Amino acid sequence: MIGSSIFWGSMWYPLRAVEAAGIPAALAGALCYGVPLIPLLPFLFIRRRQLQAGGWRMLLCGGALACCNILFAVAVVMGEVGIIILLFYLSPIWSTILERVFMKTPLIPVRWVGIGLALVGLMVLQGVGGRWPWPSNLAEWMGLGAGLCWAVALLTARMWSHITVLDKSIAQFGCALPVGLLVYVLLGDVAGPAGWPELGILIGAAPWIIAAAVIWVVPAMVLSLWGAGRLSPGRASILMTSEVVVGVGSAVWLAGEDLGWHKIVGGILIVSASLLETWQARREAQADAEGATT
């Protein structure tokens, strides 16, 4: 899981390299996350019955993951990496709300504390320098939206656990390209020049697109799934928070971003909320397991 966090936390670097090669930010994510679908194409035929049986549930799960990846990819290219990553990690708020609405999970005091920590962290992170205590530009709203999509993906995975990891991966990468193209069209000139890049620009950016897919996206996904299958959900989630350290640290080192006190304090509060939510989820899972055995 530490290895996957290194890849996820540094994902911004190849994405920005693709944009520097002339590919608009909104299109860079679509291409980088669409390429991994190519080796999965045979499984579209092999698993066609399972995919069809999944129906709208499969599309919702895959679409939520795709939206999460695309929004996050565009956000870290357009915005400040450290801020985007921390906004993404506000996802425990959305997870708690979604579980309450769709699974009738009670909001016990621990969960209220987690929400409070996350909100205070947001206020510290954003509410300095005369800014309002919420996202201040499109990139930051997209980072926040990526966290919401991640919470939706986690909810669907919990509600429909019978859907296999392979089918989820096929659905995710299959949705990535159309979702990315839709975001590109909707953003228009906001995230880069309008229109499809010229062939020469695409050829020039191809090495970075392939590198982002092969060296970053695929290993990150494989290591995440491999680790998740061998570690308890709580331990895996705790280790995944190292992505914050990698992302913020690499942005300070390689992109020259400022590491202000608001990022440090806000980050500690937001990560604490995520860890608290993980701890509570593990307690509930253990309680369910003990109840099933008795």
Side-chain angles (χ1 to χ4, degrees), residues 13-62:
Y13 188 81
L15 290 167
R16 288 194 175 187
V18 173
E19 194 230 6
I23 305 297
L27 189 57
L31 295 175
C32 293
Y33 281 97
V35 167
L37 178 64
I38 297 175
L40 290 175
L41 287 176
F43 291 99
L44 285 174
F45 176 76
I46 297 172
R47 304 282 300 177
R48 64 188 185 279
R49 292 181 180 176
Q50 291 84 349
L51 292 171
Q52 291 174 354
W56 65 271
R57 294 178 176 83
M58 182 75 69
L59 284 176
L60 179 58
C61 184

Side-chain angles (χ1 to χ4, degrees), residues 234-272:
R235 187 172 180 80
S237 298
I238 290 172
L239 293 176
M240 280 297 291
T241 58
S242 58
E243 177 187 342
V244 175
V245 178
V246 174
V248 175
S250 62
V252 171
W253 178 33
L254 298 174
E257 290 188 1
D258 177 54
L259 182 61
W261 68 268
H262 64 294
K263 283 186 183 178
I264 297 175
V265 177
I268 290 174
L269 290 169
I270 291 171
V271 171
S272 296

